[in-house]
Amino acid sequence: MKQSEIIVGIDLGTTNSEVAVYENGSVTVIEGEDGKILPSYVGLDDAGELLVGAAARNQYVVYPERTVKSVKRMMGTPEKIRLGDEEYTPQEISAMILRKLKNSAEKYLGRPVKKAVITVPAFFSDIQRQATREAGEIAGLEVVKMINEPTAATLVYESSLKSNKKVLVYDLGGGTFDVSVVMIEDDVIEVVASHGNNALGGDDFDALLEKVLRERVAEETGIRELDIQALARIRRAAEDAKKQLSFKPFAKVEEEYLLQVDGAPWHLNMEIARHDYEEMITPLVEETMDGVHVVLRDADMVMADIDEVLLVGGSTRTPLVQERLEKEFGFAPRHELDPELCVACGAALQAAMIGGLEVRAILVDITPYTFGTSAIGEVDGEFSLTAFVPLIKKNTPIPVTRSEVFFTAVDGQEEVEVKVYQGEAADALDNIEVGRFRVTGLQPLPAGNEIIVTFSLDTNGILQVSAMEKATGLEKSIIIENALSDRNDQSLARARAKVISLFGDREKDDILPENESGTGDVSEKLKREAQSLLEKARGLLDTAGEEDREDLVNLIEDVGKALDAGDADAAREAMEELSEIIFYLES
């Protein structure tokens, strides 16, 4: 079967990123200007021109103030990043990396690339996943699916694994750690349990080495406050030393002319032994082993149940990691595939499946988090108004839909507010609120009126929540696919234009995606965005002041009229104004 449209697989990593494609029965990791691995660095050169990849990484030691690294750790946050005279969101910086990968793929394939499967850490939250999806859209890519990194790696190994295997995937990258238990049976890959830490990875190994180097500088020069260039050089030296220590017993650090001391140049010369380095990182490696024990417990397994351990992520090259896993499981983990490339390869395999090509494995993924709502109940034996009620529990296979019945608390209650949380704590307030909405106009019945709440989570981690009065069928819902911000089609288009303009005039005709040039019929995506925005606006009507309420009502009407008339431009304009008012009221 021929693939009607190319879908590439992308590993958007903290330290490095890759793009791959399935062709002629096998996966190819596409080589760009920097080779198969694109360093996840973005910067501006002296003339203000965009640098992505090795060029940005190389200038980091000289101009760290105009270079960005490890942006993946900021995904899902409202943090702004200054680059030159502009401020960018983490999504926009990530989009620059994705755009570079897209360009490399198009050059290799000789045709446009508009669709991609992008991998994310298994423990990425709904907010972080949505931010990743936005980055893809800004880069001019339709993200047809997001899959977990350990799952992608298992797809690559699957052909060499016999049926009825229980596999542990240990994924330690530059910025994140994931561990998953996977069942492989009759070409079906089922993720049984996942655990991880989105703020633990090779960057933290670098930080410990950097601390040692800075202490040596302070000891020999008395200087503790270093300028930005010296700091950047030390950070690069720490990263290089870490890589050396993966293969050598000692690493030599030589940074000439690092500082001026009493008017004379001072050079940093230091040797670091692997033994000393391993002592530094042992607490971090043990933290990952704690995660291994947690995921085995969640999967209701012990170490003896595991048949294979697969290593994923560049930081698994650290000998101590491999030694600890071998000691725990009694056999050596597998790492014959390049740990930095296998995730992108798995994404390409998933892309081929979606594109209709014959690929063996069938994928069953899970949610790494619990989603639920709050209600009156008990927390730790005490009466509480905010008891957490899970509807979709951690490690449930997706897609999944779950419903639960709730009851009004007082006679004549005519509205309920549904709050949506992500987390594991018994008190909902200790979890992350990802959305809320109100159902108004309930029948004035005695307490106990039944309200059915339904949670539906799809394979991309997008959550839809609805609440229905059983007696009348009155229903309200919310789609939580944009929990980070109120970004609509128009604001994404502006971000896309902002990013693509940095790549040169030849790409400006690709600023808006097909059928979204600002005119024509209202797209289904725009309708979905509008519906989510309108639900949020209606939920604020009761608490808004008189003047704000009037503005909300008018704009709600304007959005509705524009949608009914099929006027995409007018709908986007009204949605933009409505977003601003909602942001103001929620702040």
Side-chain angles (χ1 to χ4, degrees):
M1 184 183 296
K2 292 187 177 179
Q3 200 172 6
S4 60
E5 186 171 9
I6 289 176
I7 308 174
V8 296
I10 292 176
D11 175 13
L12 181 61
T14 308
T15 308
N16 297 301
S17 298
E18 302 83 30
V19 58
V21 65
Y22 186 84
E23 54 180 1
N24 302 320
S26 63
V27 175
T28 300
V29 180
I30 295 171
E31 290 196 41
E33 297 172 359
D34 299 335
K36 292 182 178 180
I37 295 176
L38 178 73
S40 300
Y41 285 71
V42 173
L44 297 176
D45 67 12
D46 292 334
E49 296 294 317
L50 180 67
L51 301 173
V52 180
R57 183 188 61 191
N58 292 339
Q59 82 154 17
Y60 175 73
V61 296
V62 183
Y63 301 112
E65 71 279 6
R66 61 176 193 232
T67 312
V68 180
K69 65 185 287 265
S70 300
V71 70
K72 185 172 178 177
R73 282 194 160 182
M74 298 179 233
M75 294 295 276
T77 73
E79 191 167 341
K80 292 295 180 69
I81 303 158
R82 178 159 289 280
L83 197 59
D85 297 328
E86 291 277 352
E87 282 192 340
Y88 297 90
T89 64
Q91 294 97 306
E92 290 167 341
I93 297 294
S94 294
M96 297 173 197
I97 298 168
L98 290 170
R99 189 75 187 187
K100 182 78 170 182
L101 295 170
K102 178 180 187 289
N103 291 348
S104 295
E106 289 176 336
K107 185 176 180 180
Y108 170 81
L109 295 165
R111 55 187 291 193
V113 171
K114 296 183 179 180
K115 295 182 178 182
V117 170
I118 299 180
T119 63
V120 292
F123 226 54
F124 248 26
S125 68
D126 188 54
I127 292 173
Q128 291 167 309
R129 290 169 190 266
Q130 178 57 27
T132 304
R133 179 177 294 281
E134 287 182 0
E137 292 180 17
I138 294 168
L141 290 166
E142 178 188 346
V143 183
V144 296
K145 187 176 181 63
M146 285 184 287
I147 64 169
N148 294 334
E149 290 165 4
T151 308
T154 309
L155 281 172
V156 181
Y157 274 100
E158 186 271 340
S159 60
S160 65
L161 294 169
K162 296 179 181 179
S163 293
N164 304 322
K165 286 270 189 179
K166 298 181 181 71
V167 178
L168 183 129
V169 184
Y170 180 101
D171 182 355
L172 186 62
T176 59
F177 166 69
D178 279 315
V179 59
S180 297
V181 173
V182 180
M183 293 278 290
I184 300 177
E185 186 173 355
D186 299 327
D187 290 341
V188 175
I189 297 173
E190 180 180 0
V191 183
V192 180
S194 289
H195 189 73
N197 185 337
N198 293 330
L200 174 61
D203 282 359
D204 301 288
F205 294 2
D206 296 347
L208 293 173
L209 284 167
E210 178 191 334
K211 181 181 178 183
V212 170
L213 296 179
R214 291 182 66 175
E215 287 173 350
R216 172 61 65 90
V217 172
E219 179 184 320
E220 294 193 5
T221 69
I223 299 173
R224 295 193 173 275
E225 297 298 325
L226 303 178
D227 63 43
I228 192 169
Q229 282 80 18
L231 276 175
R233 290 180 64 184
I234 285 177
R235 284 171 184 155
R236 171 60 69 83
E239 183 181 350
D240 290 342
K242 176 190 68 177
K243 292 176 180 177
Q244 289 183 54
L245 291 167
S246 292
F247 303 98
K248 300 176 182 179
F250 297 95
K252 187 72 173 175
V253 177
E254 297 178 315
E255 290 293 325
E256 296 187 349
Y257 302 99
L258 182 67
L259 298 171
Q260 286 284 328
V261 180
D262 297 328
W266 183 83
H267 318 295
L268 174 61
N269 289 286
M270 184 177 181
E271 185 176 79
I272 301 173
R274 181 189 287 169
H275 172 76
D276 295 331
Y277 168 60
E278 290 182 342
E279 280 192 353
M280 294 179 217
I281 66 170
T282 290
L284 297 178
V285 174
E286 290 306 314
E287 191 173 338
T288 70
M289 295 310 302
D290 290 341
V292 169
H293 292 292
V294 169
V295 80
L296 287 170
R297 185 173 65 246
D298 288 348
D300 196 23
M301 294 182 190
V302 295
M303 289 187 174
D305 294 325
I306 299 298
D307 300 304
E308 303 270 10
V309 175
L310 309 183
L311 297 185
V312 181
S315 296
T316 60
R317 290 193 175 98
T318 304
L320 179 63
V321 168
Q322 298 178 22
E323 290 165 9
R324 283 294 289 113
L325 287 166
E326 184 170 358
K327 182 179 178 181
E328 290 284 344
F329 287 93
F331 55 84
R334 293 181 59 176
H335 52 89
E336 63 267 28
L337 298 179
D338 190 322
E340 290 190 278
L341 300 182
C342 61
V343 169
C345 292
L349 287 172
Q350 178 67 70
M353 295 179 200
I354 294 171
L357 296 182
E358 295 287 340
V359 180
R360 284 181 57 201
I362 301 170
L363 186 63
V364 179
D365 217 334
I366 62 167
T367 169
Y369 290 100
T370 296
F371 292 93
T373 188
S374 58
I376 297 172
E378 285 190 0
V379 175
D380 298 328
E382 300 286 336
F383 175 80
S384 174
L385 296 174
T386 58
F388 182 54
V389 183
L391 273 82
I392 297 177
K393 294 186 177 180
K394 175 182 177 180
N395 295 326
T396 299
I398 53 177
V400 60
T401 298
R402 294 284 186 269
S403 296
E404 187 61 76
V405 64
F406 295 82
F407 305 92
T408 54
V410 297
D411 293 342
Q413 186 173 336
E414 296 186 0
E415 69 172 48
V416 293
E417 182 175 44
V418 179
K419 296 180 181 179
V420 184
Y421 295 93
Q422 169 194 294
E424 314 301 325
D427 190 333
L429 299 182
D430 292 332
N431 295 322
I432 300 170
E433 183 180 332
V434 295
R436 65 169 69 187
F437 62 98
R438 287 179 180 271
V439 184
T440 59
L442 302 177
Q443 293 294 303
L445 300 176
N449 187 11
E450 295 176 317
I451 309 295
I452 299 173
V453 177
T454 301
F455 280 46
S456 294
L457 185 65
D458 70 12
T459 54
N460 292 312
I462 307 304
L463 181 67
Q464 181 166 351
V465 180
S466 65
M468 181 184 72
E469 184 180 31
K470 186 173 183 293
T472 64
L474 174 68
E475 183 176 14
K476 298 290 182 182
S477 65
I478 184 173
I479 296 175
I480 303 170
E481 60 176 356
N482 201 1
L484 174 63
S485 60
D486 295 316
R487 301 184 71 142
N488 54 36
D489 281 1
Q490 187 176 4
S491 60
L492 282 174
R494 285 201 303 270
R496 191 177 302 119
K498 182 177 172 184
V499 168
I500 293 175
S501 67
L502 294 171
F503 281 83
D505 291 339
R506 64 184 179 82
E507 294 193 58
K508 286 184 180 175
D509 60 344
D510 192 31
I511 286 174
L512 288 174
E514 200 172 329
N515 296 328
E516 289 190 24
S517 58
T519 59
D521 294 337
V522 175
S523 68
E524 287 303 315
K525 182 175 182 298
L526 184 60
K527 290 178 183 177
R528 196 169 66 247
E529 292 278 356
Q531 181 62 31
S532 178
L533 197 64
L534 291 172
E535 291 290 350
K536 188 173 287 189
R538 292 184 184 114
L540 293 170
L541 286 173
D542 293 338
T543 57
E546 185 176 345
E547 186 175 337
D548 291 329
R549 189 184 304 115
E550 184 178 343
D551 290 339
L552 282 172
V553 169
N554 290 337
L555 286 168
I556 288 170
E557 290 179 356
D558 289 346
V559 172
K561 289 176 182 177
L563 292 175
D564 291 341
D567 189 338
D569 276 346
R572 290 191 184 98
E573 184 177 347
M575 287 166 65
E576 180 76 10
E577 292 184 46
L578 188 57
S579 293
E580 291 176 1
I581 292 179
I582 290 172
F583 178 80
Y584 165 75
L585 291 174
E586 289 186 334
S587 300

